[in-house]
Amino acid sequence: MFAAPRKLSLADWGERHLQLQQAGRREPFYGGPLRRHVELEKDFRLEQLQFDNSPAALRLWNFFLTENSRLHQARTAGDKIVGTMKDLGTVPVMAYALPGVRAFYPDGAWWTPCLMECSDKLLQQAAAMGVDASFCPVRAMLPAFENGEHFPKPELIICSTGAVCDDFSAIAQRLEHRGHPVFWWEIPRRRAPAVGETSCELPGKLLAPRSQVEAVRAELQRVADALGQLAGKSLGDSALTDGIRAANHIRQILADLRQAVYSAPAAPLPALEMLIAEMLAIHFCSDRPEAGLVLGELLAEAQRRMQQNQFVLPPDAVRIFWVNPVADLRAMNLLEDVGGRLCGTDFMFSHALDLIPESLPPLEALARTALADPMVGPASDRAKRIIRECQTYDAEAVVISRIPGASHCAREGESIREMVRQELGIPVVEMEIPPVCDAMLPTMTSRLEALVETARNKAKGLKPNSL
Amino acid sequence: MNVFLTSPWIPAEWIRAHGLTSRPLWLEERLSNAPVALSAGVCAVAETTVRFAETHPADAVVFTSACDQMRRGYDEGKFRGQSRVFLFNLPATPTPAARQIYCDELRRLGRFLQEMGGAAPDTKSLWQEIRRAGEARRNLRAIAPSANARSLAEAVAAYHCDGTCSEISTCPSDDRISLALIGGAFPKSDWTLFKSVEQAGGRVTLNATKSGERSLCPEGVDAGDPFEALASGYFDHITDAFQRPNTRLYDWLKPRLPARGVRGLVLWHFTGCDLWRAEAQSLREAFGLPVLLLEAGEATGRSPRDQTRLQAFIEMLKAEG
Ligand code: SF4
Ligand code: SF4
C-alpha cells in the first residue's frame, strides 16, 4: 500500500488507485479515482497538476473535491446549511457546535475558475452581474450563488464586515442587492492598545484593546443567536466550549503536520497537498469529524516517511515561505519544479491555525481569535508573524503571491517585502498569479528560478542577484 | 495646526471644539493637483492622501477604516514613521457594538488631538460648534434642490472648512436633462464635470458624492450630553457605499431621484475603488435608471472620450423623451 514518495500525474493516479484497491485499501464514502472529478465536475485543472502518491493524499483530494456534493447530500439529509463568509475560521467553529448545522465558505468559489479552467464561465457571469476583473477571483461566488450548480443555497448567510477587503465587502453587498439576505457582523480594524489602555492577549502573540474584544464578543453573540434560531436550539456556552475543543483538536493535528513538514530536513509532503490541508482549518471542508481523520492520516504519512528517511523532494530544495493563497493551484507545483520546497505559509488565515484559548469564556475566546485575523490588522503585524515563522522554519526565500484585483494586494505586499528584507535579508519576490496561469508560466518560472538561485547563492555566500 | 479629515462622517465640530482647524482633505486643491504615480490596483484618492500626509508633516491627517485602501494607506504612513496620522475605525454596520466603537473612536481621536496640541473641549464650545454646524447643514440641505450644482459644491466645501453656510446661486428648473452624480471623493479639480454636463445638455440636480448633499446627512441633535448628541447625530446618519448593508444610501437616494426629476445616474469612481464600482449595477436595478460610469482620471470630464460618452448618454436620455 505504501510506496516510495513521488509525485504523480492524474493519469498515473488512475493506475495507482487500482493498485491501492487491489491491495485492499478501503476508502471513505467520498472516495474513488481522482479522474472522476474531471469527468463529473469538469475539474479540468487536475490534469495539469502533480499529486502526492500516498493514500492519505488521495483521501485529502477526494475530501476537498467532493465538498459541494457532500453539502448537497447533507441538505437532502435535513442538515441546515450556513454560508459563512469572509472571517475565515471563527463562525464555523460556532456553527459546528450545533447539531445538524453545517457551515461552509462560499468564498471557496475562489478556486472554481481555476479547477474548471474557466469552463464554467463564472467570471464572465460575474462581470455580467456588475463585478468584473477589477475584483479578485472571489467574484466567482456571485454567479455560483445564483446558478446553484456548485454549492447549495444556504439557509443563512453570515458575513463579517468592517475591516475586511473591499472586494469581498462589495461582492457580498451585491449578493444582498440581488436578493440573498446577509447577516452582517462587525469586525473592527485591530489596533495596538494605547498606553494605559486595558489590553487583551490574542492568539498569534498579538494584543488588542479590551474595548475591541468586547465589541467583537457582542457581535459574535448576535451571530450565536442567529445560528441558534436557525438550528432551533440555543447556542450556549457549553455547546460553544465543546465546539472550540473539537476545532482545537483539528487545529492541533494541523499544527503538528505543519511543524513536521516545514521543519523536516527535506519535504515529506508536497506544497500543493499542504495548501489543501491548511484549507481544512477554516471550516473543516464541511465535515468536522472527517476533516480530523483526513489530516490525521496525512500527518501519519508524513511521520512515517520521515522515520524511513523518505522524501518527496531532494534535500537541497530551497526552503520557501509562501504568502497568500494562489489563485491557480498549479503554482504550488511550479515552486517545486524550479527547486523550491514549502517551509511555511501565510494563506491569510493564520488565526484559523492557532489554538483557540480554552481557559476563557467561549465567546470571548472566539472574539480574540477573530480579532487575530491577519487581514483585519496592520500589514506590519502580519509581516512580524511571517518573519517569526521564517526564522522558525529557516526560510531561505519568500514568495508573495499577488491576487489579481485584490484591494489589499495593492499595498501590503510592499510593506511585507520591505520588513522581511530588513529583518532577515533573504530574497523576496512578489508576483501575480491569475486563476489559470498557463500564459504566465514562462514569466513565473523565470522569476521563481531567479529566486531559488539567489537563495542558493546566498547560502553559498555569493553575491545575491537582484530580484 | 490643521487637522485634515478624509471623511465627512468624522465630525469637524469635534476638531474645532478642541481649538484646532479642521479641513476636508477630499476637497483640498493641493490633493487634487498632486501628481501621482500609481502602482497596480492603488486608488488615486488613497495614494494622494498618503503622499499628502507625507509631505505635510506639520499637519495631522485623519484616515478612516471605511475602505481597505485608506486603511492600508495609513499603515504605510505609520510604517514610514509618520506620527501625525490617525486611523479612525469607522464601523460599517449600525449595530450597538458598532455604535460603541464609533463613540470610543471619537474619544480616542480627542486624545490624539490633545496630544497634537488641542485643548480639551468644554461643554459650551462643543454645543456651539454642534449648533452652528447643524444649522449650516440644515440651511444647505434646504436650498440644495434649487441650487446651481457648482455653487452648491462650493458652499458644501466652505461648510466642511468652517462649518458655515455661504451664499448659493440658484438655478430655475428648465428642460435640460436632470442627472444625479453619485460616488465618493469628487475633488475640486474634477468639478469641470458640471460644465461638461451642461455643455452636453444636462444638469446635475443631485450631487450624491462626498462633495455634495450626501455629506450633509448628519443631524444636529440639540439636547442632552453634547458628546452623545454629536456621536448620535453622525453615527445614525452616515450614508455611504461602505456601510453594510448600504440600505441607507439607497433609502436616501430613493425619494430624491424622482423629486429632482432625475433621468440618469452618473457614477463617478476612481480606478481601484471596488466599493463604488460595484454599485453601478445595483443602482441600475434599484432605480431602473440608466447609469453612466465615469472613471476619474487626470482629464475626466474634459477628455474628448468622456465628453463624447457624456453627450451620447444625455442624447440617449433625450431620445427616450
Ligand atoms: S481580496 Fe483578498 S482577502 Fe478579499 S476575497 Fe479576494 S483574496 Fe480574499
Ligand atoms: S475612492 Fe474608493 S478606494 Fe479610494 S479611498 Fe475612496 S472609497 Fe477608498
Side-chain angles (χ1 to χ4, degrees):
Chain A
M1 188 126 15
F2 296 111
R6 68 189 180 97
K7 289 201 272 181
L8 300 178
S9 67
L10 189 68
D12 297 339
W13 245 114
E15 179 88 354
R16 171 87 174 121
H17 186 258
L18 270 178
Q19 282 171 5
L20 287 174
Q21 274 189 321
Q22 282 159 2
R25 162 86 181 173
R26 281 239 184 82
E27 291 188 76
F29 68 96
Y30 52 82
L34 289 180
R35 170 155 291 283
R36 77 190 196 285
H37 301 293
V38 178
E39 283 145 13
L40 300 176
E41 323 281 337
K42 301 192 176 64
D43 288 339
F44 300 121
R45 199 62 178 158
L46 301 181
E47 295 190 300
Q48 308 300 325
L49 301 180
Q50 294 280 315
F51 308 87
D52 183 71
N53 67 342
S54 63
L58 173 72
R59 184 177 187 173
L60 173 75
W61 278 103
N62 274 326
F63 187 50
F64 171 63
L65 294 168
T66 54
E67 182 176 16
N68 286 339
S69 64
R70 287 186 288 104
L71 276 169
H72 281 287
Q73 284 165 21
R75 153 72 53 79
T76 308
D79 279 1
K80 303 273 192 221
I81 309 290
V82 177
T84 170
M85 306 200 300
K86 194 68 215 93
D87 67 301
L88 296 186
T90 305
V91 174
V93 176
M94 302 169 72
Y96 282 96
L98 284 160
V101 175
R102 274 176 208 250
F104 78 105
Y105 280 97
D107 321 23
W110 207 83
W111 269 327
T112 308
C114 160
L115 282 169
M116 299 180 75
E117 291 194 332
C118 297
S119 59
D120 53 339
K121 304 258 185 297
L122 284 180
L123 298 181
Q124 288 94 321
Q125 289 170 39
M129 292 174 184
V131 183
D132 61 14
S134 60
F135 295 82
C136 97
V138 86
R139 67 191 189 277
M141 175 186 89
L142 193 56
F145 251 103
E146 305 233 330
N147 67 26
E149 287 168 15
H150 299 270
F151 46 77
K153 213 171 257 184
E155 272 107 343
L156 175 63
I157 304 172
I158 299 175
C159 185
S160 63
T161 188
V164 303
C165 63
D166 296 341
D167 299 67
F168 204 93
S169 176
I171 294 166
Q173 179 62 74
R174 245 334 257 139
L175 191 68
E176 186 165 63
H177 279 304
R178 288 186 72 88
H180 305 270
V182 176
F183 180 101
W184 305 96
W185 63 280
E186 184 86 30
I187 183 84
R189 192 262 188 195
R190 186 184 67 243
R191 65 175 173 84
V195 179
E197 194 175 14
T198 316
S199 66
C200 295
E201 269 180 41
L202 310 182
K205 298 189 171 44
L206 295 164
L207 283 177
R210 166 141 292 283
S211 60
Q212 287 199 324
V213 173
E214 280 305 317
V216 178
R217 197 198 52 73
E219 287 298 87
L220 290 182
Q221 181 63 62
R222 290 197 310 115
V223 172
D225 294 345
L227 285 168
Q229 210 169 10
L230 176 75
K233 185 176 188 305
S234 86
L235 180 51
D237 278 4
S238 142
L240 281 171
T241 302
D242 290 346
I244 288 174
R245 209 169 288 136
N248 277 346
H249 168 68
I250 289 169
R251 290 179 183 209
Q252 187 59 59
I253 302 173
L254 191 54
D256 294 344
L257 179 67
R258 294 178 87 242
Q259 172 66 23
V261 173
Y262 299 149
S263 63
L269 289 173
L272 184 51
E273 277 71 16
M274 287 305 291
L275 165 67
I276 306 297
E278 292 200 12
M279 292 296 301
L280 302 197
I282 61 172
H283 70 287
F284 322 118
C285 207
S286 300
D287 185 337
R288 194 179 60 188
E290 190 62 27
L293 297 174
V294 169
L295 288 172
E297 190 175 345
L298 212 55
L299 173 62
E301 177 67 24
Q303 288 168 336
R304 189 188 64 77
R305 287 178 176 184
M306 283 159 59
Q307 270 161 15
Q308 298 181 356
N309 225 11
Q310 291 185 326
F311 301 101
V312 76
L313 296 171
D316 67 343
V318 167
R319 306 171 65 85
I320 291 180
F321 191 99
W322 197 283
V323 180
N324 290 339
V326 284
D328 187 346
L329 298 172
R330 198 171 170 191
M332 300 317 281
N333 283 160
L334 184 64
L335 164 78
E336 295 175 338
D337 294 345
V338 301
R341 66 168 278 209
L342 203 60
C343 80
T345 59
D346 175 339
F347 291 138
M348 303 196 308
F349 51 79
S350 45
H351 61 306
L353 304 178
D354 292 327
L355 295 183
I356 305 163
E358 289 187 32
S359 55
L360 296 168
L363 272 183
E364 158 117 20
L366 288 164
R368 292 190 191 202
T369 302
L371 260 177
D373 183 339
M375 304 310 284
V376 309
S380 55
D381 281 357
R382 193 177 178 204
K384 280 179 200 155
R385 180 172 179 145
I386 290 169
I387 290 165
R388 271 202 316 271
E389 296 203 0
C390 281
Q391 286 166 331
T392 304
Y393 298 123
D394 285 333
E396 296 169 279
V398 174
V399 176
I400 302 172
S401 55
R402 270 182 88 114
I403 300 149
S407 59
H408 52 95
C409 285
R411 286 186 183 278
E412 73 175 346
E414 182 55 32
S415 312
I416 294 173
R417 189 157 59 167
E418 245 184 84
M419 280 182 75
V420 170
R421 273 198 184 136
Q422 273 173 21
E423 290 281 324
L424 303 176
I426 58 176
V428 185
V429 74
E430 188 176 5
M431 59 185 187
E432 183 160 295
I433 299 176
V436 178
C437 70
D438 296 353
M440 304 277 293
L441 270 181
T443 321
M444 285 166 56
T445 305
S446 50
R447 296 196 69 193
L448 285 174
E449 277 172 349
L451 181 81
V452 165
E453 195 192 325
T454 307
R456 285 212 168 110
N457 286 345
K458 191 166 182 292
K460 287 185 209 149
L462 301 175
K463 197 168 176 281
N465 291 345
S466 67
L467 281 171
Chain B
M1 186 186 64
N2 291 316
V3 178
F4 285 90
L5 299 179
T6 57
S7 166
W9 314 125
I10 301 174
E13 298 92 303
W14 189 233
I15 313 296
R16 289 194 284 266
H18 282 78
L20 299 169
T21 307
S22 169
R23 289 274 175 265
L25 188 49
W26 67 96
L27 287 161
E28 184 64 22
E29 290 279 7
R30 286 175 286 175
L31 182 77
S32 338
N33 296 332
V36 282
L38 297 175
S39 31
V42 172
C43 137
V45 178
E47 180 65 12
T48 44
T49 303
V50 173
R51 297 300 152 234
F52 183 92
E54 196 174 270
T55 50
H56 295 76
D59 296 320
V61 177
V62 181
F63 290 71
T64 79
S65 63
C67 79
D68 212 1
Q69 299 252 359
M70 274 291 186
R71 207 161 62 227
R72 292 179 186 280
Y74 163 85
D75 286 350
E76 196 177 308
K78 269 304 214 202
F79 181 65
R80 307 217 176 282
Q82 290 169 22
S83 57
R84 296 195 167 199
V85 288
F86 183 91
L87 180 66
F88 191 103
N89 213 324
L90 201 51
T93 61
T95 64
R99 171 188 287 274
Q100 188 58 50
I101 291 171
Y102 187 85
C103 292
D104 289 348
E105 288 297 277
L106 263 190
R107 289 197 185 90
R108 197 168 67 86
L109 175 62
R111 290 193 288 275
F112 169 80
L113 295 174
Q114 289 181 46
E115 279 163 27
M116 296 294 116
D122 59 76
T123 305
K124 194 171 155 223
S125 59
L126 184 53
W127 269 129
Q128 255 171 10
E129 292 298 340
I130 292 173
R131 288 187 180 123
R132 197 164 63 99
E135 193 186 330
R137 284 193 299 267
R138 268 192 304 279
N139 291 340
L140 285 165
R141 287 197 303 248
I143 200 160
S146 57
N148 166 281
R150 168 111 203 184
S151 172
L152 178 66
E154 272 156 10
V156 169
Y159 154 77
H160 283 299
C161 278
D162 59 15
T164 59
C165 177
S166 48
E167 284 291 303
I168 302 179
S169 55
T170 56
C171 182
S173 60
D174 54 31
D175 59 357
R176 282 177 296 171
I177 298 288
S178 171
L179 299 176
L181 178 64
I182 301 175
F186 182 48
K188 279 186 178 172
S189 55
D190 289 311
W191 288 4
T192 49
L193 181 67
F194 293 126
K195 191 143 185 228
S196 301
V197 168
E198 281 168 18
Q199 282 167 351
R203 61 187 273 233
V204 173
T205 52
L206 180 63
N207 179 351
T209 69
K210 240 161 120 175
S211 307
E213 262 176 277
R214 190 170 57 78
S215 69
L216 304 172
C217 283
E219 284 295 342
V221 180
D222 206 5
D225 171 65
F227 179 85
E228 291 298 328
L230 182 70
S232 304
Y234 271 76
F235 181 75
D236 293 339
H237 299 279
I238 298 172
T239 305
D240 215 320
F242 75 86
Q243 291 180 286
R244 294 295 171 264
N246 61 14
T247 29
R248 245 189 237 161
L249 173 65
Y250 284 75
D251 289 349
W252 185 85
L253 288 168
K254 199 173 174 186
R256 287 172 176 78
L257 296 175
R260 311 275 169 100
V262 169
R263 308 263 304 276
L265 312 179
V266 175
L267 180 59
W268 172 263
H269 74 102
F270 282 80
T271 311
C273 177
D274 294 336
L275 292 179
W276 280 104
R277 190 179 174 88
E279 292 306 322
Q281 199 106 322
S282 296
L283 287 166
R284 214 172 268 137
E285 290 162 5
F287 301 116
L289 291 170
V291 176
L292 175 70
L293 260 162
L294 277 189
E295 197 153 312
E298 236 174 276
T300 305
R302 285 161 292 180
S303 77
R305 184 173 166 269
D306 278 338
Q307 191 64 29
T308 309
R309 290 179 64 226
L310 202 51
Q311 254 159 5
F313 185 65
I314 292 171
E315 287 306 324
M316 178 201 76
L317 294 173
K318 276 185 191 157
E320 275 178 359

